[in-house]
Amino acid sequence: MIYSLLVLSSPISGHGSRNAAEFAQCVIARGHSLHRVFFLDTGTLASAANCVFPQDEADPLRTWVALAEQHAVELVICVSSALKHGMLDQVEAARHERPGPTANPIFTVSGLGQLVDACANSDRLITFGG
Amino acid sequence: MAANGKKSMLIVLRHSPYGSSLAKAGLDTVLATAAFSQPVDLLLLGDGVLQLQPDQDGHRIGQKNVGRQLSSLPLYDINHVYVDAEAVTRYNVDISRAPVDTRMLDKEELHQLMAGYDHLLGF
């Protein structure tokens, strides 16, 4: 079965974002296909490259990076939400004359069309947060 | 599945218009889905019915008017806007003056509605 995920929760408030990452791992472990993870609204903060967590707390970014590196999971942050939350890739940072990128490069910045595409091409679309 | 083989989608708005940015995120998703010619209907559930309040003025808190965005839905060929009748009564929303035409559904009808789509997206 083909899954896609929509993440609306902030990674630093509640557990929606963490649940999404763990669900993604389970989808893959069970042999399903994970088409895309789309981050919208405060969910885009999952891409924050400069967050610093205390040693006794899990760094949520690490789980997403592992998913992308080990299983080639496509991680997409919504451009309009990302800009409002200060999550810029190299291109957006240059375009808006900001000092540098703030989003981890494992995430792709793109539009809501990627969410529409994920719905059209997945058997299941699971929303986390909201 | 819609008649043309496309996946049908119901977007469920469950939050008040200005308490968070979720209402805006949900409406943006509705409009984007319609812009890509995918079948999409809208349901305002629970606190979400507050998005239908007439005479909204988001400008005074530095935000775009959610009501105005709702009123533009027919321009995107989004013609099915459903609303939770029980919540409308609870919040005493004047649905006759709402920014968009809606169809009121009771609890049983809501269950039937939600069972009929390929995807439900909750905001």
Side-chain angles (χ1 to χ4, degrees):
Chain A
M1 191 169 276
I2 303 170
Y3 282 84
S4 284
L5 311 185
L6 168 62
V7 183
L8 299 170
S9 305
S10 160
I12 49 168
S13 176
H15 48 79
S17 190
R18 181 193 166 98
N19 284 354
E22 290 183 354
F23 186 86
Q25 287 169 328
C26 291
V27 163
I28 293 163
R30 292 251 181 133
H32 298 293
S33 150
L34 187 55
H35 178 60
R36 180 172 296 139
V37 184
F38 191 85
F39 299 83
L40 180 60
D41 200 46
T42 48
T44 53
L45 289 171
S47 67
N50 296 329
C51 289
V52 179
F53 286 84
Q55 282 187 343
D56 57 351
E57 281 182 34
D59 181 347
L61 181 62
R62 204 174 298 161
T63 319
W64 291 117
V65 170
L67 272 165
E69 285 180 350
Q70 291 164 17
H71 304 288
V73 173
E74 193 185 348
L75 308 174
V76 179
I77 55 174
C78 169
V79 61
S80 59
S81 299
L83 290 176
K84 283 187 190 178
H85 288 83
M87 297 297 101
L88 312 179
D89 63 4
Q90 192 86 50
V91 174
E92 295 299 330
R95 191 199 315 272
H96 299 282
E97 297 176 359
R98 294 300 190 265
T102 48
N104 185 291
I106 211 112
F107 292 79
T108 308
V109 179
S110 192
L112 274 168
Q114 295 294 317
L115 174 60
V116 178
D117 170 82
C119 289
N121 293 299
S122 303
D123 301 307
R124 294 280 186 274
L125 187 285
I126 316 288
T127 308
F128 293 84
Chain B
M1 190 80 77
N4 52 12
K6 292 179 177 176
K7 298 264 168 71
S8 61
M9 202 190 298
L10 179 69
I11 294 191
V12 185
L13 305 180
R14 297 181 284 113
H15 287 81
S16 61
Y18 305 104
S20 70
S21 47
L22 277 167
K24 178 87 174 42
L27 280 172
D28 285 348
T29 303
V30 174
L31 298 180
T33 307
F36 284 93
S37 304
Q38 298 294 313
V40 59
D41 293 338
L42 185 60
L43 166 65
L44 295 123
L45 190 70
D47 293 357
V49 302
L50 291 166
Q51 297 185 33
L52 292 168
Q53 284 279 20
D55 308 324
Q56 293 175 36
D57 187 3
H59 177 250
R60 297 189 60 185
I61 50 168
Q63 292 192 33
K64 281 186 188 156
N65 193 322
V66 169
R68 189 167 298 159
Q69 207 167 0
L70 279 167
S71 69
S72 73
L73 294 179
L75 299 174
Y76 290 82
D77 288 328
I78 300 161
N79 298 310
H80 296 291
V81 180
Y82 301 99
V83 59
D84 172 0
E86 195 181 300
V88 166
T89 307
R90 188 178 349 127
Y91 284 114
N92 197 23
V93 177
D94 183 357
I95 220 75
S96 67
R97 294 181 57 241
V100 65
D101 286 339
T102 59
R103 192 173 147 212
M104 300 256 260
L105 301 178
D106 64 26
K107 200 167 265 180
E108 183 60 34
E109 291 169 321
L110 285 173
H111 287 159
Q112 285 173 10
L113 178 81
M114 288 194 267
Y117 291 85
D118 293 308
H119 293 306
L120 292 182
L121 271 69
F123 290 87

